[in-house]
């Protein structure tokens, strides 16, 4: 529901002879919904401004004019008597439906919206088998909206949901209406693509099939699909999604409603990178032969080759690195195995971020994502939330549009879909926040609920601990941390990082971090490195070491591997992910892994038998029992344990460097998205356009 205007005063209305109390300021439609009466609608949407275009939501209201009124645009008033099922209302809705169908093509059998179409559903209640109109139907030329959105604008009923979403939520002005009346057309004006990371949400909003999914076109009917409720891993937000499958193939991803995280939006990458799940997959173990070529083998041969190499070396010559898509179960299994082997070089921070060493409050989004709605000032440091977390960025824009929300930025000067006070791009610009004459200083000092968002662009450089220390002290100075408020937030860029930090996948005091390994690999004594889903370009320098790559795609890690162990992708396993808030969420298996690929924890458990270091669990339940006993907060699924405030970071000099986001290409951030044909098309369409400009 839209936020009600006055929560303190209540009014009484009667809906179909049922008297209820509602907040003053709500609409008649909202009042009817609260009374349990469903009102048909096309143009109205809870999260968009009111247009009142379609007139499908007509109701009879007394006192009032002797004709039905649009309930979406009519404020509820004390003493109103509302009728939603009278003959007058029913006849009026039938007339509206007849009008909407004058030009609508009768192409339900070939329309991808069929079976999920609001117009189709409501026509069953208010439609007729006859029409009084025999003129030629209107035809509209198709529009070009890029590689994601398929258009059939002859079906359009001018509800303008797509236009309002683009302007209000996505923050782009690419969509609009030309003409008026029957000649009105929804278009991108200059036939440009909708340049937004959330563009495909208009497909979900379209009630009639005028906008459908281009990659999904003509692949399946909704009743043929199996649905699995799970979570997204394309960023650290943990958006709630539904994975639709046919057989053993993932055909589409749709958003699930979660008011605390993604509301009902998902990014284009979340929605469309799924075609990368079938490309370049690892489905069998491989070993590198004497000629330097990889050849297929069996699990026994692969495990024995790894064992032979481990037996020859000391624990301090071994390292284990965990990638961005690692799940909690795999991270815990890896840590347990390598600790049993006395290996101290284990790290999940493959981007070099120096976090997680001094308490949980120093690496999670403490206010929670929905805390943005309560904040009254924001400082962003070293982050570009528009490409790092588009759904979170939409939340910031939503709060900005509500008013009284000044925003300041230290980092890359990009279009974030909302205005901000730009304070510079250098790390040393953080020192400006100490200046009492600085406007941002004054705003944060006077704010009741100020918020700081720290991105990985500020923490992956050598000065990361010093920046974290400085921002923590500033946060305490500004009142970012109070008894009933903690607005100090770290925004991660990877889905697996928070969970891996939670279970302690960090090097010991004597161990080497990922940053130390990659920067000094030539001079280190490491001779054996186990990579679990690590595909960053730095692994290409691992030329002298024996490398085991465990993952699901033939990406950079597989290119340097001596042994490849095929793992399962996020849609192919039951596991746990912890989002940037510190919220544990369950990911559920939608399809089976290809070929001989297995879940990562199962691979590690099986290998432990070969080196006489058996891990103390055989099933997923027994593994989770071990995790929950050691880390009880991970058992509280979908809830966030409030961490104790701690003195994280390290006091030191902040060296001057550019605060650049580690994500340079939104469409290619992981092994899945890099192998996605759809993401490649988007990359060519949007990034080439930006480069040309």
């Amino acid at each position: 529901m839209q936020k009600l205007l006055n929560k303190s005063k209540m009014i009484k209305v009667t809906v179909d002879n049922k008297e209820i109390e509602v907040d003053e300021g709500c609409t008649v439609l909202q009042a009817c919904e609260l009374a349990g009466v469903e009102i048909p609608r096309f143009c109205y949407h809870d999260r968009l401004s009111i247009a009142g275009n379609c007139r499908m939501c007509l109701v009879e209201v007394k006192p009032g004019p002797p004709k039905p009124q649009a309930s979406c645009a009519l404020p509820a008033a004390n003493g109103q008597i509302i009728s939603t099922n009278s003959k007058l209302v029913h006849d009026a809705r039938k007339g509206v439906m007849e009008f909407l169908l004058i030009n609508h093509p009768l192409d339900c059998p070939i329309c991808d919206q069929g079976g999920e179409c609001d117009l189709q559903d409501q026509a069953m209640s208010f439609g007729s088998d006859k029409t009084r109109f025999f003129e030629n139907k209107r035809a509209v030329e198709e529009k070009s909206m890029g590689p994601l959105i398929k258009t059939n604008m002859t079906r359009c009923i001018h509800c303008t949901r797509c236009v309002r979403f683009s302007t209000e939520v996505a923050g782009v002005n690419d969509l609009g209406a030309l003409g008026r009346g029957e000649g009105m057309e929804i278009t991108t004006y200059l036939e440009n693509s909708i340049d937004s990371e959330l563009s495909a949400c208009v497909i979900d909003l379209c009630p009639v099939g005028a906008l459908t999914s281009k990659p999904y076109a003509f692949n399946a009917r909704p009743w043929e699909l199996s649905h699995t409720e799970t979570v997204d891993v394309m960023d650290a937000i943990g958006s709630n999604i539904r994975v639709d499958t046919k057989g053993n193939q993932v055909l589409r991803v749709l958003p699930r409603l979660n008011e605390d995280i993604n509301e009902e939006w998902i990014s284009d990458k979340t929605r469309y990178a799924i075609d990368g799940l079938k490309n370049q997959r690892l489905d069998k173990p491989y070993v590198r032969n004497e000629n330097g070529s990889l050849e297929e083998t069996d699990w026994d041969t692969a495990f024995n080759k790894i064992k032979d190499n481990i037996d020859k070396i000391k624990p301090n010559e071994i390292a284990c690195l965990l990638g961005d898509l690692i799940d909690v179960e795999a991270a815990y299994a890896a840590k347990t195995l390598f600790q049993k082997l006395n290996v101290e070089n284990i790290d999940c921070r493959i981007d070099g971020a120096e976090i997680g060493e001094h308490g949980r409050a120093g690496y999670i989004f403490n206010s929670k994502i929905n805390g943005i709605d309560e904040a009254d000032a924001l400082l962003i440091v070293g982050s570009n939330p528009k490409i790092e977390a588009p759904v979170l960025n939409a939340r910031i824009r939503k709060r900005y549009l509500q008013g009284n929300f000044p925003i300041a930025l230290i980092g890359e000067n990009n279009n974030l879909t909302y205005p901000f006070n730009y304070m510079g791009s250098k790390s040393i610009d953080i020192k400006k926040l100490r200046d009492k004459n600085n406007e941002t200083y004054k705003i944060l000092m006077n704010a009741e609920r100020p918020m700081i968002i720290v991105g990985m662009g500020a923490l992956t450089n050598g000065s990361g601990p010093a920046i974290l220390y400085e921002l923590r002290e500033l946060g305490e100075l500004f009142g970012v941390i109070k008894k009933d408020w903690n607005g100090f937030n770290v925004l991660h860029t990877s889905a697996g990082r928070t969970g891996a930090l939670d279970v302690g996948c960090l090097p010991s005091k004597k161990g080497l971090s990922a940053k130390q390994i990659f920067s000094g690999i030539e001079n280190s004594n490491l001779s054996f490195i186990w990579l679990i889903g690590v595909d960053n370009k730095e692994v290409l320098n691992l030329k002298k070491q024996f490398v085991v790559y465990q993952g699901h795609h033939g990406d950079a890690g597989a290119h340097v591997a001596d042994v490849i162990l095929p793992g399962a992708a996020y849609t192919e396993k039951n596991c746990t992910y912890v989002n940037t808030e510190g919220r544990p969420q369950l990911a559920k298996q939608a399809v089976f892994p290809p070929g001989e690929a297995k879940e990562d924890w199962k691979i590690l458990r099986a290998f432990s038998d070969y080196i006489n270091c058996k891990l103390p669990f055989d099933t997923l339940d027994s593994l989770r029992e071990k995790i929950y006993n050691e880390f009880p907060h991970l058992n509280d699924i979908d809830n966030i344990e409030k961490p104790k405030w701690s003195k994280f970071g390290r006091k030191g000099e902040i060296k001057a460097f550019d605060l650049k986001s580690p994500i340079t290409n939104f469409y290619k951030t992981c092994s899945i998205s890099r192998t996605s044909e759809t993401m490649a098309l988007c990359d060519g369409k949007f990034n080439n356009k930006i480069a040309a400009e």
Side-chain angles (χ1 to χ4, degrees), residues 212 230 304 349 364 419 536 567 596 677:
T212 55
T230 183
N304 281 318
R349 305 164 302 176
I364 68 169
N536 55 318
E596 299 180 34
E677 295 174 13

Side-chain angles (χ1 to χ4, degrees), residues 450-466:
M451 176 181 287
I452 296 175
I453 296 178
V454 188
M456 291 298 110
L459 304 177
T460 52
N461 191 279
S463 294

Side-chain angles (χ1 to χ4, degrees), residues 331-358:
Y332 181 83
K335 186 196 84 168
T336 306
L337 175 62
F338 285 95
Q339 280 187 344
K340 282 179 171 288
L341 295 173
N342 297 317
V343 174
E344 298 180 295
N345 310 313
I346 180 170
D347 201 356
C348 63
R349 305 164 302 176
I350 60 170
D351 57 1
E354 297 181 64
I355 53 175
E357 299 171 354
H358 301 102

Side-chain angles (χ1 to χ4, degrees), residues 166-172 195-198 384 386 390 393-398 400-401 407 414-420:
S166 299
T167 305
E168 297 168 14
V169 180
V172 296
D195 192 2
S196 169
E197 293 76 14
L198 299 170
N384 182 355
K386 184 173 181 288
N393 195 66
R395 197 110 184 194
I396 297 174
R397 174 173 170 80
K398 172 186 168 185
Y400 162 75
L401 292 175
I407 304 171
N414 296 305
N415 173 27
L416 297 180
T417 72
Y418 41 81
F420 51 82

Side-chain angles (χ1 to χ4, degrees), residues 345-617:
N345 310 313
I346 180 170
D347 201 356
C348 63
R349 305 164 302 176
I350 60 170
D351 57 1
E354 297 181 64
I355 53 175
E357 299 171 354
H358 301 102
R360 197 166 188 251
Y363 65 83
I364 68 169
F365 208 92
N366 288 283
S367 73
K368 299 186 286 189
I369 293 171
N370 62 5
I372 295 170
D373 300 341
E374 304 175 30
D376 56 0
L378 172 63
L379 170 67
I380 302 173
V381 181
S383 176
N384 182 355
K386 184 173 181 288
I387 62 173
E388 294 174 9
V391 171
L392 183 141
N393 195 66
R395 197 110 184 194
I396 297 174
R397 174 173 170 80
K398 172 186 168 185
R399 175 63 186 89
Y400 162 75
L401 292 175
Q402 292 172 359
N404 299 317
F405 191 55
I407 304 171
L409 171 69
I410 302 176
E412 294 177 281
N413 190 5
N414 296 305
N415 173 27
L416 297 180
T417 72
Y418 41 81
F420 51 82
N421 176 28
Y422 186 57
M423 297 181 63
S425 63
K426 301 289 185 181
S427 56
I428 55 177
D429 291 322
I430 296 172
K431 297 177 181 178
K432 296 178 182 177
L433 296 168
R434 294 280 185 182
D435 183 1
K436 295 182 179 180
N437 295 318
N438 187 282
E439 187 63 26
T440 300
Y441 176 94
K442 296 176 182 178
I443 290 172
L444 293 173
M445 284 296 290
N446 294 325
E448 292 185 8
R449 291 184 171 236
M451 176 181 287
I452 296 175
I453 296 178
V454 188
M456 291 298 110
L459 304 177
T460 52
N461 191 279
S463 294
I467 290 175
L468 200 59
Y469 179 93
E470 177 69 5
L471 291 174
R472 175 181 58 77
E473 287 213 325
L474 286 168
E476 293 170 350
L477 172 67
F478 295 141
V480 172
I481 300 95
K482 301 176 181 177
K483 185 178 180 181
D484 60 341
W485 174 252
N486 187 339
F488 191 93
N489 301 313
V490 174
L491 179 59
H492 291 277
T493 55
S494 59
R497 180 71 51 79
T498 309
L501 289 172
D502 274 356
V503 297
C505 292
L506 293 170
S508 68
K509 291 183 179 180
K510 296 180 180 180
L512 298 174
S513 67
K515 183 178 180 179
Q516 291 171 320
I517 292 172
F518 288 135
S519 61
I521 192 65
E522 293 294 330
N523 300 318
S524 73
N525 66 343
L526 294 176
S527 57
F528 181 104
I529 298 182
W530 194 303
L531 305 175
I532 304 181
V534 180
D535 291 299
N536 55 318
K537 62 182 181 182
E538 286 81 2
V539 302
L540 299 175
N541 296 324
L542 304 176
K543 299 175 181 178
K544 297 180 180 180
Q545 293 74 25
F546 184 89
V547 178
V548 177
Y549 177 77
Q550 182 178 331
H552 40 74
H553 277 77
D555 210 323
H559 292 170
V560 297
D562 295 284
V563 177
I564 295 176
L565 306 175
Y570 74 105
T571 57
E572 300 159 1
K573 55 187 175 182
N574 294 301
C575 59
T576 307
Y577 283 100
V578 183
N579 74 349
T580 195
E581 304 172 293
R583 184 192 304 268
Q585 299 187 103
L586 295 179
K588 297 181 181 178
Q589 183 180 30
V591 293
F592 293 104
E596 299 180 34
K598 303 181 185 298
E599 297 172 35
D600 290 320
W601 75 265
K602 290 183 178 179
I603 295 173
L604 295 166
R605 167 62 186 85
F607 176 70
S608 69
D609 285 337
Y610 283 75
I611 54 175
N612 297 318
C613 194
K614 185 177 178 179
L615 293 176
F617 42 79

